[in-house]
Amino acid sequence: MPKSIIRTYSRYSRDAVALLGALIREARNERKLTAQELADRAGISRGLLQRIEKGNLKCEIGVVFEVATIIGIKLFDTDENALTKHLGRTKEKLALLPKSVRKKSIPVHDDF
Amino acid sequence: MPKSIIRTYSRYSRDAVALLGALIREARNERKLTAQELADRAGISRGLLQRIEKGNLKCEIGVVFEVATIIGIKLFDTDENALTKHLGRTKEKLALLPKSVRKKSIPVHDDF
DNA sequence: ATCCTTTGATTTATATAAAGATCATTAAGC
DNA sequence: GCTTAATGATCTTTATATAAATCAAAGGAT
C-alpha cells in the first residue's frame, strides 16, 4: 500500500462491519466465552478479536467471517446451506455471461 | 504478523467470501462496468478488485463491503435499512448485558 | 470491600497486503 | 479474421495489519 492511501467508506459499509462485530460480541457473551478463548479457537490474537468486535474496517475478511462462523453467525442467509446453494447458482450463471466487459468504441445511436 | 502465521478457514467462511466476490463480479458485468472503472469508483487498484472478485480471504473487510455497496449488493438483509435497524437493536441489547465474561473459579455442582 | 479475572489500550517487530507498473492472454466488436 | 480493450498474472516497493507482550482499568464473584 504505497504512498499512504486514504480510504473512504460509506456509512452503510461502516454500519455493516460494526453490526457484524457487535453480533460477534453479543454471541460470545451469550455463550460465556472470554475474548481469549474465542481468539484461541479462531487462531488469532486477542487484540485482533478486539478490533473485529469493535468493527474495525481494516481486518481481513476471512478472519472476520471465520470468527463469525465459529461463534455461530450465519452470513447472508438464515436458513442452513443457503449460502452454498446460492454460490452454486451464481457460478452457473457466471459461466453463461460474457467473460469481459467492453466499451463501445463509438457512442452508439441509442435510438428508440 | 510475526513468525509466519498459518491461518485455517472453514469451508463456510471460504464459500461466503467466494460468494460475495462472485456476486460483485456478476453485478459488475450486469452493469457493464470494467474492472478498472469499478476499482476507480471504490478508490482501489484493479489488482485488489481482482483478488476481491476471486474471493481472496486476506482482503480488508471494509474495502470488500465498500465495493459490494457501490455495486449495489445489500449485505445481511434484503430490505432497505434493515441493517441499520438491526444494528440499533443489537447495541441496545448490548448495553443490558454484562460487560465481561467471567469463568467460575470453582467447578460448579451443576446438579439437577 | 476485596480479589483477581477480563477487558482496553499501547508498543515493538515482522510478515504481508496493496499500489503501481508491466507483459501475456483473452475475447468483444467490427 | 483483425483489432484492441479488458482481463489475468507477476514483480517491486512501501505502508501497515498482526502477534506478542505489557500495563491499566473495569467489573464479576466472593
Side-chain angles (χ1 to χ4, degrees):
Chain A
M1 199 185 272
K3 291 294 168 185
S4 188
I5 298 297
I6 300 173
R7 293 207 198 285
T8 60
Y9 305 92
S10 66
R11 176 150 224 294
Y12 187 84
S13 297
R14 283 184 274 117
D15 282 352
V17 178
L19 169 63
L20 192 47
L23 289 174
I24 288 171
R25 171 171 263 260
E26 185 182 20
R28 180 172 68 79
N29 283 329
E30 282 173 355
R31 294 186 171 216
K32 299 274 186 285
L33 288 174
T34 67
Q36 189 63 61
E37 285 171 336
L38 179 53
D40 288 343
R41 291 195 191 185
I44 64 176
S45 64
R46 186 171 65 90
L48 177 52
L49 179 59
Q50 271 186 39
R51 291 173 55 226
I52 290 172
E53 291 187 345
K54 219 194 274 182
N56 189 301
L57 296 155
K58 314 296 274 291
C59 302
E60 294 177 10
I61 189 170
V63 173
V64 180
F65 278 25
E66 188 66 20
V67 172
T69 300
I70 289 175
I71 208 66
I73 296 173
K74 293 292 175 195
L75 304 162
F76 296 107
D77 271 308
T78 49
D79 57 304
E80 226 80 36
N81 294 334
L83 183 142
T84 306
K85 283 188 292 184
H86 195 172
L87 180 61
R89 279 189 282 108
T90 299
K91 279 189 171 170
E92 288 170 19
K93 285 178 62 180
L94 284 176
L96 303 174
L97 293 173
K99 299 289 169 48
S100 66
V101 174
R102 194 182 187 103
K103 293 297 158 189
K104 300 238 187 298
S105 45
I106 304 170
V108 160
H109 216 67
D110 228 336
D111 49 19
F112 57 93
Chain B
M1 200 185 273
K3 291 294 170 186
S4 188
I5 298 298
I6 300 172
R7 292 207 197 285
T8 60
Y9 304 92
S10 66
R11 177 153 221 294
Y12 188 84
S13 297
R14 282 185 275 117
D15 282 353
V17 178
L19 168 63
L20 192 46
L23 288 175
I24 288 170
R25 170 171 265 259
E26 186 183 19
R28 180 172 67 79
N29 283 330
E30 283 173 354
R31 295 186 172 215
K32 298 275 186 286
L33 287 175
T34 66
Q36 188 65 62
E37 285 171 335
L38 179 52
D40 289 342
R41 291 195 191 187
I44 64 175
S45 66
R46 186 170 66 90
L48 177 52
L49 178 60
Q50 270 184 41
R51 292 173 54 225
I52 291 173
E53 291 187 346
K54 219 194 274 183
N56 190 301
L57 295 155
K58 314 297 273 292
C59 302
E60 294 175 10
I61 190 171
V63 174
V64 179
F65 278 23
E66 187 65 20
V67 172
T69 300
I70 289 173
I71 208 66
I73 295 173
K74 291 293 174 196
L75 304 163
F76 294 108
D77 271 311
T78 49
D79 57 305
E80 227 79 36
N81 294 336
L83 183 141
T84 305
K85 283 188 292 186
H86 195 174
L87 180 61
R89 277 189 284 111
T90 298
K91 280 189 171 169
E92 288 169 22
K93 284 178 63 179
L94 284 177
L96 302 175
L97 292 173
K99 297 291 170 46
S100 67
V101 173
R102 191 181 188 104
K103 292 297 158 189
K104 301 236 185 296
S105 45
I106 303 168
V108 160
H109 215 65
D110 228 338
D111 49 17
F112 56 94

